[in-house]
């Protein structure tokens, strides 16, 4: 399985600011994903990060709010823009393997005041 | 009705008990079934993976899939305090290759 790291591990931000979360994988992977995990809720897929093209966003998530970069096969960033307290959540990146298994990073715990 | 239903618990059991965790689903196209374990302040880790119906055993863990009933289970034998975590089921298949996750069940194994 791939080893995945995320930065920062946690942050406390002010309303209206933006935060960029980094995800680094120790091997080249085709599929990378960004999820949100709110307390008591299931993992919600935000988008699929595609290398060399725009990310594919799920219903309810838009590029202006969650811009994503995927410059190569081992790295991706997710930006949470113009944050509000409702964006307080855990943000997770994952990589997809064969047969749809996914491996997750440790997550970024975001609190917006 | 959600595609995947999972009781959030918490489920509290004594050490050594057999634990049964379950999920139901509505999408008959699902054919890949996974269980993830998530410790507090950590990302989910893949615990068990099964394809289609049947059982799969790995040490103290057994995953069971009943496609006719759209019901999957994870059994933990001889449960330990270190098993205390949230267990998420996930499934995919057909046109939906990205797994759909349950809410997770919080398990507490007390000494």
């Amino acid at each position: 399985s791939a080893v995945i790291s995320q930065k920062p591990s946690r942050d406390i931000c002010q309303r209206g600011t933006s935060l960029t979360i980094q995800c680094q994988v120790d091997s080249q992977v085709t599929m990378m994903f960004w999820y949100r995990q709110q307390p008591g809720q299931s993992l919600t897929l935000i988008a699929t990060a595609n290398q060399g093209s725009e990310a594919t966003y799920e219903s309810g998530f838009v590029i202006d709010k969650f811009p994503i970069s995927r410059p190569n096969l081992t790295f991706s960033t997710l930006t949470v823009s113009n944050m509000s307290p409702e964006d307080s959540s855990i943000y997770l990146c994952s990589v997809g393997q064969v047969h749809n298994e996914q491996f997750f990073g440790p997550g970024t715990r975001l609190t917006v005041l | 009705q959600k595609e995947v239903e999972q009781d959030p618990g918490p489920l509290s059991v004594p050490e050594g008990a057999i634990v049964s965790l379950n999920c139901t689903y509505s999408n008959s196209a699902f054919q890949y079934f996974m269980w993830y374990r998530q410790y507090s302040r950590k990302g989910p880790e893949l615990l068990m993976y099964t394809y289609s119906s049947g059982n799969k055993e790995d040490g103290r863990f057994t995953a069971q899939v009943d496609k006719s009933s759209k019901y999957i289970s994870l059994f933990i034998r001889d449960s330990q305090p270190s098993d205390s975590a949230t267990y998420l089921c996930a499934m995919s298949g057909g046109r939906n290759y990205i797994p759909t996750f349950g809410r997770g069940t919080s398990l507490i194994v007390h000494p």
Side-chain angles (χ1 to χ4, degrees):
Chain A
S1 63
V3 176
I4 306 166
S5 59
Q6 282 184 237
K7 289 181 182 179
S9 59
R10 60 193 308 150
D11 208 341
I12 301 172
C13 300
Q14 295 297 319
R15 180 195 300 260
T17 62
S18 298
L19 176 72
T20 295
I21 303 168
Q22 299 179 5
C23 179
Q24 179 75 54
V25 189
D26 69 341
S27 58
Q28 293 187 339
V29 293
T30 304
M31 307 190 76
M32 291 181 74
F33 307 93
W34 287 97
Y35 284 85
R36 183 172 72 184
Q37 187 177 32
Q38 295 178 310
Q41 303 298 314
S42 61
L43 290 167
T44 303
L45 181 64
I46 297 172
T48 302
N50 303 307
Q51 197 269 328
S53 64
E54 261 191 18
T56 305
Y57 289 84
E58 298 299 306
S59 176
F61 298 96
V62 295
I63 188 171
D64 289 346
K65 176 67 176 177
F66 297 100
I68 288 171
S69 77
R70 179 88 193 271
N72 55 54
L73 292 175
T74 64
F75 186 79
S76 178
T77 67
L78 168 76
T79 298
V80 186
S81 304
N82 188 25
M83 288 183 285
S84 67
E86 292 70 36
D87 295 319
S88 298
S89 187
I90 299 172
Y91 292 85
L92 296 148
C93 73
S94 74
V95 299
Q97 302 288 342
V98 296
H99 303 309
N100 309 310
E101 304 159 63
Q102 292 193 28
F103 297 90
F104 288 85
T108 295
R109 185 177 295 268
L110 172 62
T111 302
V112 184
L113 303 176
Chain B
Q1 181 189 12
K2 290 185 178 179
E3 269 195 306
V4 178
E5 298 277 2
Q6 185 176 13
D7 187 335
L11 176 63
S12 182
V13 302
E15 183 175 355
I18 296 175
V19 175
S20 173
L21 303 165
N22 312 294
C23 288
T24 59
Y25 63 95
S26 58
N27 188 342
S28 57
F30 287 150
Q31 50 188 331
Y32 299 97
F33 303 92
M34 292 142 278
W35 285 95
Y36 289 83
R37 177 175 62 193
Q38 186 174 21
Y39 290 113
S40 180
R41 301 183 183 278
K42 301 287 186 183
E45 58 175 319
L46 183 64
L47 197 58
M48 296 284 282
Y49 167 84
T50 54
Y51 170 71
S52 193
S53 284
N55 292 358
K56 183 174 182 179
E57 189 174 319
D58 184 0
R60 296 185 295 112
F61 299 90
T62 300
Q64 194 173 76
V65 175
D66 182 349
K67 290 188 71 179
S68 62
S69 301
K70 296 189 178 68
Y71 188 89
I72 69 171
S73 300
L74 177 70
F75 298 97
I76 306 174
R77 292 183 299 280
D78 187 25
S79 57
Q80 304 294 310
S82 58
D83 294 326
S84 298
T86 297
Y87 290 81
L88 301 99
C89 63
M91 44 200 81
S92 64
R95 295 171 58 188
N96 188 11
Y97 64 92
I98 297 173
T100 300
F101 286 83
R103 291 175 56 188
T105 298
S106 175
L107 172 67
I108 301 167
V109 181
H110 51 86

